[in-house]
Amino acid sequence: METSPLSDPAPRTRLTPPLLPTLSPDSPVSGPAAAAPPVCGPSGVAFFDFDGTLIHGDSLPMFVGEVIGRRRAALALADAIRSAMHRHVRGRGPGCDFPGSVKAIYLKRTLRGLPVADALAAAERMIPRVRWHQPMLEVLKEHRRQGRRVVVATGALDLYMPALLRGLEVDDLLATGMEVVDGKLTGRLSTANCVRLDKAERVTAWIAGNGPVAATWGYGNHPSDLPMLALMHKGEVIRIRRRSNRR
């Protein structure tokens, strides 16, 4: 099944590069376009967010929909949002922030007890449902043609991301891990949620462990990827336009 390509490219906001590998939430993230240093060979690395950057929308509800059904997944997400709001009012949110709490509640209520084999089968079923953002796919492929390494850094789950990235020649994946006990998901995370500052820390550690890196490019959406993009020599905020004439 073919995905629906976009005919018009997404708007991009170029970010002013700080010195690497400084990690600060207050790093500058707007300003004039900055030319990336010339790079030869694989010493350059391009980091891509996934949801809302390489694809349209959020892959997690899509995955959960393949596990428990789309209607139940939508109802579970709405219930997780309500529950997170009530818990945060009482100061008892399970995540470090409101989106993190919604995610923690959603995962626990929908994936707890799921056999890993069933999760992997659901990942295969969701492949044809993904709506790729074609302009950014071309950017990814161009980095590969230039001999640069490509890393996907995403808050999406490591359960399904390998299946979705199959064939894209991605060198590494930084994703959110799920805890597994006796071949079943517990509904809890096994890593930090790979978003915002946690994602930036993962990217910083990757650069430190896989250097030397002559230049870095980053692509993500606003506001969750700004900490990661602030680390790059050249970072761009991607905003996917919604089309009113979808097929």
Side-chain angles (χ1 to χ4, degrees):
M1 176 177 173
E2 293 183 357
T3 55
S4 301
L6 285 182
S7 57
D8 53 341
R12 303 179 191 173
T13 302
R14 299 183 185 276
L15 306 178
T16 303
L19 295 175
L20 284 175
T22 302
L23 174 61
S24 169
D26 300 319
S27 300
V29 293
S30 62
V39 178
C40 299
S43 55
V45 186
F47 294 88
F48 289 82
D49 173 50
F50 188 70
D51 296 325
T53 300
L54 284 174
I55 69 166
H56 294 257
D58 190 341
S59 60
L60 181 56
M62 189 186 310
F63 171 70
V64 175
E66 292 296 336
V67 173
I68 65 174
R70 299 180 193 182
R71 184 174 182 276
R72 287 181 61 196
L75 292 174
L77 180 57
D79 187 60
I81 293 171
R82 287 193 295 268
S83 181
M85 290 179 64
H86 292 316
R87 295 188 191 189
H88 271 266
V89 168
R90 301 194 301 269
R92 297 178 181 177
C96 63
D97 54 17
F98 179 71
S101 292
V102 172
K103 187 172 185 177
I105 295 168
Y106 188 54
L107 292 175
K108 187 173 183 180
R109 292 182 178 179
T110 59
L111 300 184
R112 182 172 53 184
L114 179 70
V116 172
D118 291 352
L120 297 180
E124 296 295 328
R125 293 194 301 271
M126 72 184 290
I127 292 174
R129 293 185 57 202
V130 171
R131 296 182 60 238
W132 292 95
H133 181 210
Q134 294 296 332
M136 287 310 301
L137 276 185
E138 291 304 315
V139 171
L140 186 153
K141 292 174 183 177
E142 181 59 26
H143 279 292
R144 292 297 309 178
R145 286 191 287 267
Q146 295 291 330
R148 298 163 190 151
R149 286 174 286 180
V150 171
V151 177
V152 171
T154 175
L157 304 183
D158 61 0
L159 286 168
Y160 59 81
M161 282 303 301
L164 302 189
L165 295 178
R166 191 181 299 139
L168 283 187
E169 297 187 82
V170 171
D171 294 285
D172 210 345
L173 170 66
L174 307 177
T176 300
M178 290 292 293
E179 183 181 71
V180 177
V181 175
D182 296 330
K184 295 183 179 181
L185 304 181
T186 66
R188 296 187 295 267
L189 300 183
S190 63
T191 70
N193 189 16
C194 191
V195 298
R196 296 177 285 281
L197 286 176
D198 285 318
K199 179 184 288 190
E201 290 170 0
R202 294 272 296 272
V203 168
T204 299
W206 193 97
I207 293 172
N210 293 272
V213 175
T216 52
W217 291 258
Y219 305 90
N221 49 42
H222 184 280
S224 63
D225 289 316
L226 295 185
M228 176 188 76
L229 296 179
L231 300 171
M232 303 291 112
H233 288 100
K234 186 176 181 181
E236 295 188 19
V237 173
I238 306 302
R239 296 182 177 91
I240 300 179
R241 293 192 183 102
R242 293 185 178 182
R243 298 180 68 188
S244 58
N245 59 340
R246 292 179 183 172
R247 292 188 297 174

